[in-house]
Amino acid sequence: MPVHRVGLVVHQGRAEARDAAGAVHAWCAAHGVRCTEIDVWTPDHRRRSGREEARAAGDPDLVVTLGGDGTFLRGARIAVKTGAGVLGVDLGRVGFLTEVPVCDLATALDAVHAGHAPVEERMTLTMRASRLPGVPAEMEAFLCYGRGPALPPPPVRAENGEGEGWGLALDVNALNDVVVEKLARDHQVSAGVYISGRLLAAYSADAFVVATPTGSTAYSFAAGGPVLSPHMDAVVFTPIAAHMTFNRTVVAAPDEPVALRILPHSGRAAVSVDGQLRGVLDPGDWIGVYRAPQRVRLIRLRPTDFYGRLRDRFRLTDAPATASDGEAAPFFRPDAAVPPDLAGLRLVPPSAAR
């Protein structure tokens, strides 16, 4: 399907990203495509919610991000509101989301415009909360120091449910994770953690991460969580620096919500969605995190080789134990007819298997 409107998210702190933005504007001008830079802020500019940002840009059908995974997540929060595809141009260092090299930018735009680019859908998370988790005015400058202005509190969705106890349905989507973390260095977050409505445990910890499989290689991974295939659906709960014996990650089914209630003796906690501060929780507040109906549509140039990227990003072939064995032999290389018992499996193309 031809592209009619492009939303452009640029990491303004990198010269190569600004240069690539010029190339996107030139491509759009040559093809008669409207191009609007989105999620742009200055010290005196209020940031907008994803839905407001999409509306202001004319509801783009393609969002192009120029930077690393953080820039990609900024674009994804806008694209998911309208079902637009997200094309991530890789200018980062250790990311998993962006994969189109800047030298292939024009080729990728041509492929999308012609309808030839593969689309990969990823699960997102959404939230309910006992109240709107805004950032107190007296804390915003401190919490956002060095990060630019904060996003506004998530808008409330219409479908709040009947009766009391269900909280507010928030119009927010996380592609990576929702994080609840302590605000004071000397006061941990204490929370009761519920899965599918049942109490799992009460924790005191530095933070709690509720992640998607896509986000399993981000903050959750850094805290010791498992790596999950981004092609699956699951809800991953990981406590960080928990003061208790049971400090393991729990991988819940996609229809099993994870809720956190801040306990009376806890310190206040910050809530971040995909690395963006969205509010502060007080003792007694709660949030529930669960699979959203909306999915992020990632635009690719070719089928994703997630495990190859995992190997390369973490330099797994550089392990000393492999040095004496030489290069590993290829396995399951589908360069001939696929046997019947392997039909339907996700196998990388021969050029990527090594």
Side-chain angles (χ1 to χ4, degrees):
M1 189 171 100
V3 176
H4 299 288
R5 293 171 301 280
V6 169
L8 185 59
V9 183
V10 185
H11 189 312
Q12 294 291 347
R14 305 188 63 176
E16 61 266 45
R18 297 193 299 271
D19 292 342
V24 175
H25 281 291
W27 183 93
C28 289
H31 292 80
V33 174
R34 173 181 169 180
C35 183
T36 305
E37 296 202 10
I38 54 178
D39 200 27
V40 178
W41 68 89
T42 60
D44 60 349
H45 179 73
R46 180 184 69 87
R47 295 185 73 184
R48 295 180 285 213
S49 70
R51 201 171 296 279
E52 290 173 334
E53 199 76 65
R55 191 179 301 118
D59 291 331
D61 42 25
L62 176 68
V63 173
V64 179
T65 71
L66 305 172
D69 278 3
T71 308
F72 185 95
L73 291 170
R74 286 170 50 198
R77 76 175 183 89
I78 299 166
V80 73
K81 300 305 180 187
T82 61
V86 190
L87 176 66
V89 179
D90 188 8
L91 297 170
R93 295 176 178 85
V94 294
F96 280 83
L97 297 172
T98 59
E99 66 172 38
V100 175
V102 69
C103 59
D104 289 338
L105 176 54
T107 301
L109 290 171
D110 288 340
V112 176
H113 196 49
H116 296 155
V119 177
E120 189 177 299
E121 294 193 349
R122 298 280 182 89
M123 169 187 162
T124 68
L125 297 170
T126 191
M127 291 171 33
R128 282 180 175 260
S130 55
R131 64 173 178 86
L132 198 62
V135 179
E138 70 274 12
M139 301 180 68
E140 184 169 353
F142 169 73
L143 294 175
C144 298
Y145 179 75
R147 302 173 63 181
L151 287 165
V156 177
R157 301 196 312 266
E159 60 272 24
N160 275 325
E162 298 295 330
E164 297 183 1
W166 295 107
L168 301 175
L170 303 182
D171 187 15
V172 64
N173 292 88
L175 176 58
N176 264 359
D177 48 43
V178 175
V179 176
V180 175
E181 57 190 321
K182 68 180 184 179
L183 284 179
R185 183 178 181 183
D186 62 345
H187 207 155
Q188 287 191 311
V189 180
S190 296
V193 176
Y194 301 77
I195 299 182
S196 286
R198 301 285 292 186
L199 178 65
L200 173 67
Y203 294 80
S204 285
D206 283 358
F208 306 99
V209 181
V210 184
T212 65
T214 296
S216 70
T217 51
Y219 198 179
S220 177
F221 174 84
V227 174
L228 276 66
S229 167
H231 303 293
M232 67 184 291
D233 281 11
V235 181
V236 185
F237 167 73
T238 303
I240 297 178
H243 279 210
M244 60 186 296
T245 303
F246 184 75
N247 60 357
R248 299 295 191 267
T249 293
V250 175
V251 181
D255 58 354
E256 295 178 331
V258 175
L260 294 91
R261 183 184 297 275
I262 309 301
L263 298 178
H265 63 278
S266 174
R268 300 174 95 181
V271 180
S272 298
V273 177
D274 282 346
Q276 298 277 332
L277 177 68
R278 302 308 298 268
V280 172
L281 300 177
D282 293 319
D285 292 337
W286 61 262
I287 63 168
V289 184
Y290 52 98
R291 180 175 59 180
Q294 301 85 10
R295 304 177 79 86
V296 173
R297 302 175 67 247
L298 280 63
I299 306 296
R300 304 303 198 192
L301 271 182
R302 57 192 64 85
T304 299
D305 179 13
F306 170 72
Y307 299 102
R309 173 158 292 213
L310 184 70
R311 179 197 64 218
D312 294 341
R313 290 305 196 204
F314 294 113
R315 300 182 179 179
L316 301 183
T317 53
D318 293 341
T322 66
S324 61
D325 294 330
E327 186 175 355
F331 184 74
F332 271 5
R333 290 188 59 179
D335 48 4
V338 178
D341 62 317
L342 301 181
L345 298 184
R346 189 188 300 270
L347 298 172
V348 297
S351 60
R354 63 183 193 279

